[in-house]
Amino acid sequence: MTARMIDGKALSAQVRDDVAVRVQALKKHGVTPGLAVVLVGEDPASQVYVRNKAAACDKAGMLSREIRLAEDTPEEELLDLIEALNQDPAIHGILVQLPLPGHIDAGLVIETISATKDVDGFHISNAGLLMTGRPLFRPCTPYGIMKMLESEQVALRGAEAVIVGASNIVGKPMAMLLLAAGATVTLCNSKTRDLGAQTRRADVLVVATGKPGIVTGDMVKPGAVVIDVGINRLPSGKLTGDVEFDGAAQVASAITPVPGGVGPMTIAMLLVNTLEAAERTLNT
Ligand code: NDP
């Protein structure tokens, strides 16, 4: 079997077009969705992410405010900035690009963002709401993956879903969303014994570890849908995922490429979350 390629780039363009239409509708009510993206320091990868997020916002007709702070910015100053953005009616979504410099407590920063503007969905209240089945903001990467599975018409009710990687931003919220969709979920971490025995049961396999090639073709169930979240830069400069693509594509029914799979969907869902935060202000 040679897997069908799930085109995250094309689907994300469609999502962004839909967002742009809804932005125009909202503007007729006098509201322009606004996203503040805060970057502390000079990390080159973070600079690219922040630029891409702001550009996607502008393209969808939203307001984007990029705020760059020096690497040695005191924690207090960042917290004050977030408090000001919480109060700013032109800003509906606040995103602080991670990782933060070591002297800043990332947990405290995230908890300072108003839960109603937490478009990354990382605030403890939003994690709790997601866990109890009443999500306000779904974290963008797992939300984008659910959108992909929906667009591919993957049946999730009763399906075996295995997630490799259990971080707060990808693996755990992914588990909650798949569970809510009726899948039987297995969440693996670095201590999991015999990873292959777990992954070979998966009708839907999501891999998010940051370990290139951790999942090989022989670890994939024939006909499975494989979602590769990993973004790893090889010494050659080439970007690669966590799944050994050529081997897995021989066995899977559908697979996401890296790049061009999950990555573009993450940005598209950030726009959706920001738009929905702005739409909610009309009803309050
Ligand atoms: P983290 O480092 O926060 O978490 C990695 C997870 O993988 C941990 O739960 C860890 O287990 C688990 N893990 C590590 N080694 C193994 C192993 N041998 N077997 C099973 N599980 C293992 O990473 P993130 O979740 O933040 O990111 C994961 C990858 O996804 C990265 O490559 C990142 O760049 C990418 N990413 C891509 C995004 C996109 O938009 N496409 C968005 C976000 C991330 P333990 O808990 O035991 O430590």
Side-chain angles (χ1 to χ4, degrees), residues 58-238:
D58 294 341
K59 222 169 150 194
M62 297 180 175
L63 167 86
S64 74
R65 197 183 294 168
E66 244 182 279
I67 303 162
R68 290 167 180 258
L69 301 176
E71 178 86 25
D72 59 357
T73 300
E75 183 181 89
E76 194 62 30
E77 194 179 318
L78 177 58
L79 297 179
D80 287 348
L81 169 70
I82 292 170
E83 295 286 8
L85 293 169
N86 283 342
Q87 301 304 322
D88 187 337
I91 296 298
H92 303 94
I94 303 169
L95 181 156
V96 178
Q97 185 67 42
L98 302 176
L100 287 166
H103 66 282
I104 296 178
D105 177 351
L108 178 61
V109 168
I110 292 168
E111 299 325 318
T112 304
I113 297 172
S114 161
T116 59
K117 295 191 178 187
D118 167 42
V119 282
D120 258 340
F122 297 163
H123 192 285
I124 203 154
S125 302
N126 285 318
L129 286 170
L130 178 64
M131 188 165 184
T132 48
R134 297 177 291 138
L136 182 66
F137 293 110
R138 298 160 181 83
C140 302
T141 300
Y143 192 10
I145 293 170
M146 293 305 286
K147 196 87 194 161
M148 283 177 144
L149 295 173
E150 184 192 311
S151 138
E152 292 290 312
Q153 296 179 308
V154 176
L156 294 175
R157 243 178 113 89
E160 288 276 355
V162 177
I163 303 158
V164 186
S167 69
N168 288 338
I169 67 169
V170 187
K172 285 182 201 164
M174 187 78 253
M176 291 304 129
L177 291 172
L178 286 167
L179 190 64
T184 301
V185 178
T186 303
L187 191 51
C188 303
N189 59 37
S190 64
K191 287 97 191 165
T192 297
R193 271 183 275 136
D194 195 354
L195 187 61
Q198 303 296 336
T199 59
R200 271 188 290 273
R201 288 189 295 101
D203 301 310
V204 176
L205 178 59
V206 180
V207 189
T209 63
K211 301 269 150 65
I214 191 172
V215 168
T216 48
D218 62 319
M219 293 166 74
V220 176
K221 177 178 171 178
V225 174
V226 178
I227 307 290
D228 190 352
V229 184
I231 303 177
N232 309 291
R233 197 168 286 282
L234 296 176
S236 63
K238 188 176 173 254

